[in-house]
Coordinates of all heavy atoms in Angstrom, one line a residue:
V124 N -8.3 -12.5 -2.4 CA -7.4 -12.7 -1.3 C -7.6 -11.4 -0.4 O -7.8 -11.5 0.8 CB -6.0 -12.9 -1.7 CG1 -5.1 -12.9 -0.5 CG2 -5.9 -14.2 -2.4
K125 N -7.4 -10.2 -1.0 CA -7.4 -9.0 -0.2 C -8.7 -8.8 0.4 O -8.8 -8.5 1.7 CB -7.1 -7.8 -1.2 CG -7.2 -6.5 -0.5 CD -6.9 -5.3 -1.5 CE -7.2 -4.0 -0.8 NZ -6.9 -2.8 -1.8
Y126 N -9.8 -8.9 -0.3 CA -11.2 -8.5 0.2 C -11.7 -9.6 1.1 O -12.5 -9.3 2.1 CB -12.1 -8.1 -0.8 CG -11.8 -6.7 -1.2 CD1 -11.0 -6.4 -2.3 CD2 -12.3 -5.6 -0.6 CE1 -10.6 -5.2 -2.7 CE2 -12.1 -4.3 -1.0 CZ -11.2 -4.1 -2.0 OH -10.9 -2.8 -2.4
T127 N -11.3 -10.8 1.0 CA -11.7 -11.9 2.0 C -11.1 -11.5 3.3 O -11.8 -11.6 4.3 CB -11.2 -13.3 1.5 OG1 -11.9 -13.7 0.4 CG2 -11.5 -14.3 2.6
G128 N -9.8 -11.1 3.4 CA -9.2 -10.7 4.6 C -9.9 -9.5 5.2 O -10.1 -9.4 6.4
L129 N -10.3 -8.5 4.4 CA -10.9 -7.3 4.9 C -12.3 -7.6 5.4 O -12.8 -7.1 6.5 CB -11.0 -6.3 3.8 CG -9.7 -5.6 3.3 CD1 -9.9 -4.8 2.1 CD2 -9.1 -4.8 4.5
V130 N -13.1 -8.5 4.7 CA -14.3 -8.8 5.2 C -14.3 -9.5 6.6 O -15.0 -9.2 7.5 CB -15.1 -9.9 4.2 CG1 -16.3 -10.5 4.8 CG2 -15.4 -9.2 2.9
M131 N -13.4 -10.5 6.7 CA -13.3 -11.3 8.0 C -12.8 -10.3 9.0 O -13.2 -10.5 10.2 CB -12.3 -12.4 7.7 CG -12.9 -13.5 6.8 SD -14.5 -14.1 7.4 CE -14.0 -15.0 8.8
E132 N -12.0 -9.3 8.6 CA -11.5 -8.4 9.7 C -12.6 -7.5 10.3 O -12.7 -7.3 11.5 CB -10.4 -7.5 9.1 CG -9.9 -6.4 10.0 CD -8.9 -5.4 9.3 OE1 -9.1 -5.2 8.2 OE2 -7.9 -5.0 10.1
Q133 N -13.5 -7.1 9.4 CA -14.7 -6.3 9.8 C -15.6 -7.1 10.7 O -16.0 -6.7 11.8 CB -15.4 -5.7 8.7 CG -14.6 -4.6 8.0 CD -14.4 -3.4 8.9 OE1 -15.3 -2.9 9.5 NE2 -13.2 -3.0 8.9
Y134 N -15.9 -8.4 10.3 CA -16.7 -9.2 11.2 C -16.1 -9.5 12.5 O -16.7 -9.5 13.5 CB -17.1 -10.5 10.4 CG -18.1 -10.4 9.3 CD1 -18.0 -10.9 8.1 CD2 -19.3 -9.5 9.6 CE1 -18.9 -10.7 7.1 CE2 -20.2 -9.4 8.6 CZ -20.0 -10.0 7.3 OH -21.0 -9.8 6.4
G135 N -14.8 -9.7 12.4 CA -14.0 -10.0 13.7 C -14.1 -8.8 14.7 O -14.3 -9.0 15.8
K136 N -13.9 -7.6 14.1 CA -14.0 -6.4 15.0 C -15.4 -6.2 15.5 O -15.6 -5.9 16.7 CB -13.7 -5.2 14.1 CG -12.2 -5.0 13.8 CD -12.0 -3.8 13.0 CE -10.4 -3.6 12.7 NZ -10.2 -2.3 11.9
A137 N -16.4 -6.4 14.7 CA -17.9 -6.3 15.1 C -18.2 -7.2 16.2 O -18.8 -6.9 17.2 CB -18.8 -6.5 13.9
L138 N -17.7 -8.5 16.1 CA -18.0 -9.5 17.1 C -17.2 -9.3 18.4 O -17.7 -9.7 19.5 CB -17.7 -10.9 16.6 CG -18.8 -11.3 15.5 CD1 -18.3 -12.6 14.8 CD2 -20.2 -11.6 16.2
A139 N -16.1 -8.7 18.2 CA -15.3 -8.3 19.4 C -16.0 -7.2 20.3 O -15.9 -7.3 21.5 CB -13.9 -7.8 19.0
I140 N -16.6 -6.3 19.6 CA -17.3 -5.2 20.2 C -18.7 -5.8 20.9 O -19.0 -5.5 22.0 CB -17.8 -4.2 19.2 CG1 -16.4 -3.4 18.9 CG2 -18.7 -3.2 19.9 CD1 -16.6 -2.5 17.7
N141 N -19.4 -6.6 20.1 CA -20.7 -7.2 20.4 C -20.8 -8.6 19.9 O -21.3 -8.8 18.8 CB -21.8 -6.4 20.0 CG -23.1 -6.9 20.5 OD1 -23.2 -7.8 21.2 ND2 -24.2 -6.3 20.0
P142 N -20.4 -9.6 20.7 CA -20.5 -11.0 20.3 C -21.8 -11.5 20.1 O -22.1 -12.6 19.5 CB -19.8 -11.7 21.4 CG -19.7 -10.9 22.6 CD -19.8 -9.5 22.0
N143 N -22.9 -10.8 20.6 CA -24.2 -11.1 20.5 C -25.1 -10.4 19.5 O -26.2 -10.4 19.4 CB -25.0 -11.0 21.9 CG -24.4 -11.9 22.9 OD1 -24.1 -13.1 22.7 ND2 -24.2 -11.4 24.2
N144 N -24.3 -9.7 18.6 CA -25.0 -9.0 17.5 C -25.4 -10.1 16.4 O -24.6 -10.7 15.8 CB -24.0 -8.0 16.8 CG -24.7 -7.2 15.7 OD1 -25.5 -7.8 15.0 ND2 -24.3 -6.1 15.5
P145 N -26.7 -10.3 16.3 CA -27.2 -11.4 15.4 C -26.7 -11.2 14.0 O -26.5 -12.2 13.2 CB -28.6 -11.4 15.6 CG -29.0 -10.1 16.1 CD -27.8 -9.6 17.0
R146 N -26.7 -10.0 13.5 CA -26.4 -9.7 12.1 C -24.9 -10.0 11.9 O -24.5 -10.5 10.8 CB -26.7 -8.2 11.8 CG -28.1 -8.0 11.4 CD -28.5 -6.5 11.6 NE -28.4 -6.1 12.9 CZ -29.3 -6.4 13.9 NH1 -30.4 -7.1 13.5 NH2 -29.2 -5.9 15.1
A147 N -24.0 -9.7 12.8 CA -22.6 -10.0 12.7 C -22.4 -11.6 12.7 O -21.7 -12.1 11.8 CB -21.8 -9.4 13.8
V148 N -23.0 -12.3 13.6 CA -22.9 -13.7 13.6 C -23.4 -14.4 12.4 O -22.7 -15.2 11.7 CB -23.7 -14.2 14.8 CG1 -23.6 -15.8 14.9 CG2 -23.0 -13.8 16.1
F149 N -24.6 -14.0 12.0 CA -25.2 -14.6 10.7 C -24.5 -14.2 9.5 O -24.1 -15.1 8.7 CB -26.7 -14.1 10.6 CG -27.2 -14.4 9.2 CD1 -27.4 -15.7 8.8 CD2 -27.5 -13.4 8.4 CE1 -27.9 -16.0 7.5 CE2 -28.0 -13.6 7.1 CZ -28.1 -14.9 6.7
S150 N -24.2 -12.9 9.3 CA -23.5 -12.4 8.0 C -22.1 -13.1 7.9 O -21.7 -13.4 6.8 CB -23.4 -10.9 8.0 OG -24.8 -10.4 8.1
K151 N -21.4 -13.2 8.9 CA -20.1 -13.9 8.9 C -20.2 -15.3 8.5 O -19.5 -15.8 7.6 CB -19.4 -13.8 10.3 CG -18.0 -14.4 10.3 CD -17.4 -14.2 11.6 CE -16.0 -14.9 11.8 NZ -16.1 -16.4 11.9
A152 N -21.2 -16.0 9.0 CA -21.3 -17.4 8.7 C -21.8 -17.5 7.3 O -21.4 -18.4 6.5 CB -22.4 -18.0 9.7
E153 N -22.7 -16.7 6.8 CA -23.2 -16.7 5.4 C -22.0 -16.5 4.4 O -21.9 -17.2 3.4 CB -24.2 -15.6 5.2 CG -24.8 -15.5 3.8 CD -25.9 -14.5 3.7 OE1 -25.6 -13.4 4.1 OE2 -27.0 -14.8 3.2
F154 N -21.1 -15.5 4.8 CA -20.0 -15.3 3.9 C -19.1 -16.5 3.9 O -18.6 -17.0 2.8 CB -19.2 -14.0 4.5 CG -17.9 -13.8 3.7 CD1 -18.0 -13.1 2.4 CD2 -16.7 -14.1 4.2 CE1 -16.8 -12.9 1.7 CE2 -15.5 -13.8 3.5 CZ -15.6 -13.2 2.3
E155 N -18.9 -17.1 5.0 CA -18.0 -18.2 5.2 C -18.5 -19.4 4.4 O -17.7 -20.3 3.8 CB -17.7 -18.6 6.6 CG -16.8 -17.7 7.3 CD -16.7 -17.9 8.8 OE1 -17.7 -18.4 9.5 OE2 -15.5 -17.7 9.4
I156 N -19.8 -19.6 4.3 CA -20.5 -20.7 3.6 C -20.1 -20.5 2.1 O -19.8 -21.5 1.4 CB -22.0 -20.7 3.8 CG1 -22.3 -21.3 5.2 CG2 -22.7 -21.5 2.7 CD1 -23.7 -21.3 5.7

Side-chain angles (χ1 to χ4, degrees):
V124 173
K125 175 182 177 180
Y126 282 92
T127 295
L129 290 173
V130 169
M131 294 303 292
E132 179 184 32
Q133 288 298 309
Y134 285 135
K136 287 181 177 179
L138 289 168
I140 293 168
N141 182 5
N143 294 319
N144 182 327
R146 277 160 297 284
V148 174
F149 165 66
S150 298
K151 177 176 180 287
E153 185 181 47
F154 177 76
E155 290 176 321
I156 283 176

